[in-house]
Amino acid sequence: MSKSYGADWSVKLKLEIKTDFLQLNEKGLYCPYGEFYLDAQRAVDKVVVSHGHGDHIVAGCREIFSTVPTRFFMEHRFGKNAGKHFHTFPYGKEFLIKEVALTFFPAGHILGSALVLMVYQGTRYLYSGDYKLQSDETCEAIQLVKADVFITESTFASPSVKHPDAIQEIKKLNAINHPILLGAYALGKAQRLTALIHTHCPDKQVLIHHAILPFHKLYDQLGALHWNYLPYNRKLMKDNPNRSIYIVPPLTFNSYIKAKNVIRVFASGWARLQKGNQLALFISDHVDWDDIIATVTWVEPKEIWTLHGDGSALQDYYNTIIPVKQL
């Protein structure tokens, strides 16, 4: 994780925070000053996309602003209907939408994920999308920037949530001498697990479900990582039962609820997704409570706006120190 500071941060004048800079409506999070959406939920004219997960993208928008990997993931999911015009930008390159200056910075969530810095009339608004501070060799490390307003996801914004170290979690698989059915989200999580297993479970053989395989190939194509994995083959798993880890998407994992002769494991930060499995594997690609607090300390916002979860614990924590509102 690295810090990045705006060049004018220490000398800037007192600036006005527009309380209506972002507005949540049925189409998503709208910026009226730039006439664009952030991670729209329905097809819109202009959308800035933080990353390629299905709950942050939508088909059929006229203009899409994103990183290159996010474009690739959208085109894989939606084909010709991914969007009419893509505008892709590297991290750190400023671009304008009307009078709002935007810059992408790595969010550390998945490959191509971005924090979105928006500057309007000198005031800095930082939209997190989904982000994490834990290390992950399959994507760019998060790069935090200073901002007047921090718009943060609050998926795990509870003092009771603490994500364990991912390396120690993945090493649990070394003790299993049985075929493992490993459930994971197809984009981001499956690739991170493959890399973790490659490094920390070297005796294991990773087999990839056909629905996940295209994302592995896109990661390869984008130069994210070179790793060892094979497309799933029943014979391979039968020939090496004590070494095989078969990574499958959630729908497949759930359809094998009564599968015999495999150890069921699902990689997630959610405790509810660990129930009924033979082994709990708490590996999350989101920030936990301590990570959110650490991020706020680095960003030094004058206000915090929350979404994608319950921000009430953050309101209580910061109380009179920093105003916190839920969008």
Side-chain angles (χ1 to χ4, degrees):
M1 180 171 58
S2 58
K3 291 185 181 182
S4 176
Y5 302 91
D8 62 341
W9 180 260
S10 63
V11 297
K12 71 176 194 169
L13 300 175
K14 184 176 180 180
L15 301 169
E16 178 188 0
I17 293 173
K18 303 289 186 183
T19 58
D20 62 346
F21 184 76
L22 294 176
Q23 305 169 5
L24 193 61
N25 62 39
E26 70 280 358
K27 293 182 179 180
L29 197 57
Y30 181 62
C31 177
Y33 297 93
E35 298 180 0
F36 61 83
Y37 280 83
L38 290 163
D39 294 342
Q41 299 299 295
R42 298 183 186 177
V44 296
D45 186 53
K46 289 185 178 69
V47 61
V48 177
V49 181
S50 67
H51 67 285
H53 275 150
D55 58 337
H56 288 256
I57 60 175
V58 65
C61 295
R62 189 176 71 86
E63 290 189 80
I64 301 98
F65 301 80
S66 74
T67 64
V68 169
T70 297
R71 174 179 179 170
F72 276 43
F73 300 144
M74 290 184 68
E75 290 176 336
H76 170 70
R77 289 186 185 274
F78 301 134
K80 293 181 179 179
N81 199 34
K84 190 170 183 180
H85 300 293
F86 273 91
H87 307 276
T88 58
F89 298 91
Y91 295 123
K93 176 69 173 179
E94 185 178 272
F95 59 96
L96 288 173
I97 306 180
K98 294 185 73 68
E99 295 181 18
V100 179
L102 300 94
T103 309
F104 293 138
F105 293 94
H109 180 57
I110 65 171
L111 185 63
S113 61
L115 306 170
V116 184
L117 177 65
M118 298 162 285
V119 182
Y120 178 70
Q121 294 183 349
T123 302
R124 298 160 65 88
Y125 304 81
L126 182 64
Y127 171 69
S128 74
D130 291 342
Y131 65 112
K132 74 172 182 286
L133 306 191
Q134 284 191 347
S135 64
D136 179 354
E137 61 181 305
T138 64
C139 69
E140 308 85 353
I142 190 169
Q143 184 179 356
L144 296 173
V145 296
K146 300 289 187 180
D148 300 290
V149 178
F150 182 40
I151 305 100
T152 179
E153 63 145 308
S154 49
T155 306
F156 291 105
S158 168
S160 65
V161 178
K162 173 62 178 175
H163 298 323
D165 179 70
I167 293 174
Q168 296 308 310
E169 287 293 289
I170 206 70
K171 285 182 177 180
K172 292 178 181 179
L173 302 184
N174 286 322
I176 300 176
N177 293 313
H178 210 73
I180 298 170
L181 184 71
L182 178 53
Y185 296 113
L187 173 58
K189 182 65 66 63
Q191 292 75 44
R192 185 185 184 195
L193 292 173
T194 301
L196 284 167
I197 293 166
H198 175 76
T199 302
H200 303 287
C201 308
D203 292 333
K204 296 295 186 182
Q205 171 182 260
V206 176
L207 304 175
I208 301 298
H209 188 273
H210 68 85
I212 297 176
L213 196 59
F215 291 112
H216 271 58
K217 291 182 177 180
L218 282 172
Y219 267 59
D220 285 336
Q221 182 180 341
L222 291 163
L225 190 70
H226 295 287
W227 43 27
N228 291 325
Y229 66 89
L230 293 168
Y232 172 73
N233 179 289
R234 183 177 295 181
K235 186 177 185 301
L236 286 174
M237 196 161 184
K238 185 178 179 180
D239 290 345
N240 298 283
N242 296 338
R243 295 181 54 234
S244 295
I245 299 177
Y246 181 24
I247 302 181
V248 302
L251 283 176
T252 302
F253 184 82
N254 292 334
S255 71
Y256 289 167
I257 188 67
K258 296 182 179 180
K260 297 179 180 180
N261 302 318
V262 295
I263 300 297
R264 288 170 50 84
V265 184
F266 196 94
S268 174
W270 290 106
R272 59 182 170 80
L273 295 180
Q274 307 298 341
K275 294 179 179 179
N277 301 328
Q278 285 100 323
L279 176 73
L281 196 67
F282 283 96
I283 296 180
S284 176
D285 291 325
H286 293 263
V287 283
D288 63 11
W289 175 260
D290 290 343
D291 290 338
I292 295 174
I293 301 307
T295 301
V296 170
T297 299
W298 284 32
V299 173
E300 296 183 352
K302 295 178 177 62
E303 292 186 15
I304 301 169
W305 301 350
T306 69
L307 71 167
H308 299 307
D310 184 359
S312 59
L314 288 170
Q315 289 178 327
D316 293 340
Y317 181 82
Y318 286 107
N319 197 3
T320 58
I321 302 171
I322 305 175
V324 179
K325 74 173 182 179
Q326 299 188 59
L327 292 174

